Amino acid sequence: MCARIDLHRLFPVTVLALAAVAAPAVASGQVGMGLSPMRLEVGLAGGAVQSGPLTLTNESEAPTRVRSELLDFYIDESGTPQFARAYPAEAENSCREWLSLNPRETEVPPKSATTVRYTLRVPPGVPARSFHCAAGFTTQATADRLGAVGVQTAVRMIAAFYVLVGDPAVEGEIEGVEIEPVRGAESPGWRAVVVVRNWGPRYFRPSGALELLDERDAVLEALEFPSLPVLPNRSQRFLFPLKAGPEPQPYKLRVRVDFGGDEIQEALVMVRPPAPAP
């Protein structure tokens, strides 16, 4: 099933100047240290318990001490994940209190790997919806390096958890399509922006493509959607950098999105970049 949306009636064709930077919501690391897996997506029933391994790998020539912590996260409007020990606004969607790690602190010998086990304990009676949280692993100075002179770099690696309880419906919608200038870049340019709305309690990862067309419907550029989740009950901006800066003339942005539900949505929007300031 394909639903076509004409956004001309909902959004002005003039360009909105909003700055943002795209980034995936996965993990950070450094040369010599690794974490696997960095993302776990599991389906569990209320009252269920699941345990599994997370592997810390040390490729360096020295031992590395690692301390773990339980985190909340969300994805900001620029597509950048934000992690903290608690975000009150995420309480309804958080699985942080269900998650435990063992051991909480460990030393990884050089050229070896160590396993940290995670356990998720879903409370009984949890409503059908998705939940998200994360495990953070931060490097610490080992005992022989405490008090050492010099710069010591601490690195945090992240494993993100997405827990689906039950099978709630996917409720996605294309909320807006526009083109905007990229501010603060060494080489200023343009990017297309697709705003996706998640009306439901279940996260999803939309797939699809955006095309930049000229007035004759010739495709000038075609870009795939990045692998970015849209968390429950919010809107998420998807950014598509354009290779060439469009001239101040009419263009079309054509979007086709699969939300993973029963339909694929399409949108076609006319845009006109403003002329450069003198």
Side-chain angles (χ1 to χ4, degrees):
M1 179 179 180
C2 184
R4 189 175 181 85
I5 301 175
D6 186 352
L7 295 179
H8 289 84
R9 297 170 301 189
L10 305 179
F11 301 92
V13 299
T14 54
V15 178
L16 301 181
L18 301 174
V21 177
V26 285
S28 60
Q30 71 174 5
V31 175
M33 284 299 298
L35 172 64
S36 178
M38 295 188 296
R39 186 176 80 203
L40 296 97
E41 300 180 81
V42 298
L44 296 173
V49 177
Q50 175 167 311
S51 183
L54 298 171
T55 303
L56 294 166
T57 305
N58 182 7
E59 296 292 343
S60 70
E61 301 289 344
T64 301
R65 192 153 194 85
V66 179
R67 180 178 297 165
S68 67
E69 58 184 337
L70 307 178
L71 304 170
D72 281 341
F73 74 88
Y74 70 94
I75 300 169
D76 67 18
E77 68 172 13
S78 71
T80 304
Q82 303 294 334
F83 298 94
R85 292 184 178 178
Y87 281 122
E90 296 299 314
E92 183 181 13
N93 304 306
S94 176
C95 58
R96 176 174 49 84
E97 294 186 356
W98 310 348
L99 181 63
S100 61
L101 302 168
N102 185 35
R104 292 298 299 267
E105 188 168 344
T106 187
E107 187 168 300
V108 188
K111 299 294 184 180
S112 66
T114 296
T115 296
V116 175
R117 294 199 67 80
Y118 74 85
T119 301
L120 283 163
R121 294 181 174 86
V122 183
V126 171
R129 61 179 303 120
S130 67
F131 302 84
H132 51 273
C133 56
F137 297 89
T138 305
T139 58
Q140 310 285 318
T142 54
D144 61 326
R145 293 291 297 168
L146 290 174
V149 178
V151 176
Q152 300 183 41
T153 303
V155 173
R156 185 170 68 175
M157 299 167 287
I158 301 291
F161 291 80
Y162 299 86
V163 181
L164 179 61
V165 177
D167 189 24
V170 173
E171 301 179 46
E173 180 184 25
I174 301 172
E175 192 172 52
V177 181
E178 62 188 21
I179 193 170
E180 67 183 23
V182 179
R183 302 294 189 185
E186 293 183 2
S187 301
W190 295 89
R191 65 184 168 213
V193 180
V194 178
V195 182
V196 171
R197 176 71 186 182
N198 184 351
W199 294 102
R202 176 177 182 164
Y203 86 97
F204 55 79
R205 293 178 182 273
S207 61
L210 174 140
E211 295 175 324
L212 176 68
L213 313 175
D214 64 14
E215 290 185 281
R216 299 180 179 180
D217 290 339
V219 177
L220 304 177
E221 292 190 48
L223 298 166
E224 297 294 321
F225 266 70
S227 180
L228 185 68
V230 184
L231 300 177
N233 298 305
R234 70 198 71 195
S235 297
Q236 184 66 56
R237 285 162 49 94
F238 286 78
L239 309 180
F240 300 85
L242 301 175
K243 294 179 180 179
E247 301 296 328
Q249 63 189 40
Y251 292 89
K252 298 177 184 177
L253 290 174
R254 183 166 61 199
V255 181
R256 183 179 175 89
V257 185
D258 183 353
F259 296 105
D262 296 330
E263 68 177 22
I264 295 175
Q265 291 189 14
E266 291 185 352
L268 183 65
V269 176
M270 293 287 297
V271 295
R272 181 190 290 270

